[in-house]
RNA sequence: GGAGAGGUGCCGGAGCGGUUGAACGGGCGCGACUGGAAAUCGCGUAACGGGGGUCAACCUCGUUCGAGGGUUCGAAUCCCUCCCUCUCCGCCA
């Protein structure tokens, strides 16, 4: 949610910023401003009449106590009451419309977010290995340890069974990620994965990406597509005193995505599936600190990729591709030998005050003008390890000519095998 | 799932339908007293929204007693729906 006061104060700046995403948004801002003045006019008249009503009401109460006849005043008040009701309804309707439109505006892009239309390459790290033999993809390397047929039979397309050593590898990746994040000050969290609408609205996934989200029809609950939803909601409605910031959480959860509209895309293997495990970072920081925190989170993602010996590159996502809540986003893309290109593995976003305003998560300004006043915190999120895709990258980059896979040393202490045997036929 | 109890400010805890934004107590902050402290006394102690303002301080109006509706001139107080907490029974990893 954008700050309505900012839209009033500097509409041209807001329009210019939103136009970077989509020129049509500037008009939307004008529409919102018109609704805003309508709402404020209605509110002012409703409230001043209500003030008069309250005052008269007190006179009635005083008169009754004194034993006076208040019949006439009561009749007048009855009429006032009806008018107040009408005016209040008008104001409420205007406010509802305003809020609905406002809620659909995406976040203002950060000035340093890439202009697009292409993402901007930030850096490339690590050299793709010269294999010297034809690359196998992750399904060939995994063999029966990834069972797509059984997954499809059980649950449909884009579901998989993971078996044997790959389960050990998955658990090790998760432990390794949690361990690494702990050293960076992130508190491990296992959140609920079924949430109410508010959590999705608050994080900006609704009304924006409705078609991506699984809903339980009978219970008014949704399956989260990322633990970001649950973690950002952890402080829903709170005022966090500035000395408690930053607050950092490492969420571990399964993630569920409908992948509607992705038909025919990445259909092979577990690159794009309806359910996967992920360890996610989420930070709540003072507004002045979010840019630095964003780089910090990116740094942790890069540390993990480096330790896992996965060649990758970092891109600054083009404004037109930003999700509605992000002001700026980096993706880390891993080299996949079988596709001979870089594919998205992790991602981190600075959502500034967009989610915090919707979820009413505030802190207090601790100096300067307006000291002691509450203002929304900034929230940021980033992938530590998206297990399925990380596994793909490990398999493909660690593959040997005989079809075996060498796995990185850093996972061994967490129970991962050092080597995967070639897939049996 | 069945039966019952309950949700009030930072906390505890009152509250005949009418000066209750909310008694009383505690906590916290400031001040007085003190060499300093304790004790004591005094003052203060919300969020959100509208309007005004030298757009800071501040002033003013409104909303908020789990949430949303309703009754009423007037609701923390009455009615309905939902959410949450606790106790007992049932079921269960």
């Amino acid at each position: 949610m954008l700050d309505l006061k900012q839209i009033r104060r500097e509409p041209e700046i807001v329009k210019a910023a939103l136009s970077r995403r989509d020129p049509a948004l500037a008009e939307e801002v004008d529409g919102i401003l018109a609704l805003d003045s309508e709402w404020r006019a209605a509110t002012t008249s409703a409230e001043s009449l209500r003030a008069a009503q309250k005052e008269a009401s007190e006179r009635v109460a005083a008169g009754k106590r004194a034993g006076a006849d208040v019949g006439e005043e009561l009749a007048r008040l009855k009429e006032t009451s009806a008018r107040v009701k009408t005016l209040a309804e008008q104001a409420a309707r205007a406010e509802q419309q305003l809020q609905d439109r406002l809620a659909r505006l995406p976040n203002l892009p950060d000035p340093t977010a890439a202009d697009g239309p292409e993402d901007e390459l930030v850096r490339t790290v690590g050299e793709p290995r010269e294999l010297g033999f034809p690359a196998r993809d992750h399904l060939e390397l995994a063999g029966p340890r990834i069972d797509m047929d059984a997954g499809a039979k059980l649950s449909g397309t884009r579901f998989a069974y993971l078996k044997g050593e790959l389960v050990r590898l998955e658990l090790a990746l998760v432990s390794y990620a949690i361990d690494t994040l702990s050293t960076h000050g992130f508190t491990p969290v296992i959140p609920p994965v079924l949430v109410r609408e508010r959590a999705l609205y608050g994080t900006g996934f609704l009304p924006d990406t409705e078609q991506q989200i699984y809903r339980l029809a009978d219970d008014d609950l949704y399956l989260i597509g990322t633990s970001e939803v649950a973690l950002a909601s952890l402080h829903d409605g709170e005022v966090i005193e500035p000395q408690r910031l930053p607050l950092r959480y490492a969420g571990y959860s399964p993630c569920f995505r409908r992948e509607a509209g992705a038909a025919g895309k990445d259909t092979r293997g577990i690159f794009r599936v309806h359910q996967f495990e992920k360890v996610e970072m989420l930070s709540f920081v003072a507004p002045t600190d979010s840019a630095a925190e964003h780089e910090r989170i990116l740094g942790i993602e890069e540390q993990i990729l480096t330790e896992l010996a996965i060649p990758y590159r970092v891109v600054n996502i083009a404004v037109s591709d930003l999700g509605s809540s992000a002001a700026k986003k980096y993706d880390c893309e891993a080299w996949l030998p079988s596709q001979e290109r870089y594919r998205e593995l992790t991602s981190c976003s600075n959502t500034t005050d967009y989610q915090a305003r919707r979820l009413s998560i505030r802190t207090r300004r601790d100096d300067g003008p307006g000291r002691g006043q509450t203002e929304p915190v900034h929230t940021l999120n980033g992938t530590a390890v998206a297990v399925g895709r990380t596994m793909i990258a490990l398999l493909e980059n660690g593959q040997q000519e005989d079809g075996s896979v060498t796995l990185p040393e850093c996972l061994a202490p967490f129970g991962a095998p050092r080597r995967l045997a070639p897939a049996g036929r």
Side-chain angles (χ1 to χ4, degrees), chain A residues 312-328:
Chain A
Y312 67 94
R313 64 178 194 186
V314 179
V315 294
N316 179 358
I317 299 298
V319 280
S320 53
D321 287 338
L322 288 175
S324 68
S325 62
K328 183 178 182 182

Side-chain angles (χ1 to χ4, degrees), chain A residues 122-368:
Chain A
V122 176
R123 62 182 152 268
T124 304
V125 180
E127 276 293 310
R129 256 172 67 218
E130 274 302 334
L131 291 184
F133 57 87
R136 297 176 171 89
D137 76 8
H138 71 279
L139 267 192
E140 293 173 278
L141 292 162
R145 289 166 291 200
I146 291 178
D147 193 337
M148 299 305 295
D149 294 342
K153 200 186 262 183
L154 174 75
S155 307
T157 173
R158 294 193 195 280
F159 283 97
Y161 278 92
L162 224 59
K163 296 191 278 193
E165 290 164 303
L166 288 188
V167 173
R168 302 254 171 236
L169 176 56
E170 158 143 356
L171 293 176
L173 272 169
V174 169
S175 297
Y176 157 76
I178 293 282
D179 207 65
T180 302
L181 294 187
S182 295
T183 68
H184 287 288
F186 288 76
T187 305
V189 176
I190 295 182
V193 298
L194 286 168
V195 302
R196 295 220 181 91
E197 184 179 23
R198 171 168 171 85
L200 288 161
Y201 171 83
T203 43
F205 289 97
L206 286 178
D208 190 44
T209 60
E210 201 147 14
Q211 70 297 335
Q212 263 311 325
I213 307 172
Y214 285 104
R215 187 175 68 230
L216 303 200
D218 290 339
D219 295 283
D220 274 330
L221 289 170
Y222 299 79
L223 279 162
I224 57 175
T226 161
S227 57
E228 171 191 347
V229 172
L231 294 176
S233 299
L234 202 47
H235 294 288
D236 186 346
E238 293 181 23
V239 176
I240 304 171
E241 296 303 329
Q243 64 272 16
R244 290 182 61 206
L245 296 173
L247 290 170
R248 300 186 172 108
Y249 298 99
Y252 167 48
S253 80
C255 304
F256 302 92
R257 301 188 182 178
R258 292 187 64 226
E259 297 297 347
K265 203 162 135 192
D266 302 317
T267 48
R268 186 170 161 78
I270 60 169
F271 188 83
R272 189 181 297 278
V273 283
H274 291 306
Q275 176 189 336
F276 59 95
E277 305 281 307
K278 182 158 64 68
V279 177
E280 177 84 1
M281 298 174 264
L282 198 126
S283 301
F284 299 86
V285 305
T288 46
D289 297 340
S290 66
E293 183 74 5
H294 196 196
E295 299 300 323
R296 191 170 184 273
I297 288 173
L298 176 61
I300 296 170
E301 294 186 355
E302 294 195 57
Q303 179 197 332
I304 290 173
L305 291 170
T306 302
E307 287 178 9
L308 293 178
I310 297 171
Y312 67 94
R313 64 178 194 186
V314 179
V315 294
N316 179 358
I317 299 298
V319 280
S320 53
D321 287 338
L322 288 175
S324 68
S325 62
K328 183 178 182 182
K329 173 161 109 167
Y330 293 116
D331 278 2
C332 293
E333 301 178 334
W335 175 257
L336 294 189
S338 71
Q339 300 186 15
E340 294 188 305
R341 56 177 176 147
Y342 287 95
R343 298 300 309 268
E344 179 185 347
L345 199 58
T346 66
S347 164
C348 58
S349 299
N350 183 358
T351 53
T352 63
D353 58 2
Y354 191 84
Q355 298 180 327
R357 184 169 290 107
R358 287 170 166 242
L359 287 166
S360 190
I361 304 171
R362 291 149 293 163
T363 186
R364 263 176 237 286
R365 211 169 294 178
D366 56 355
D367 58 5

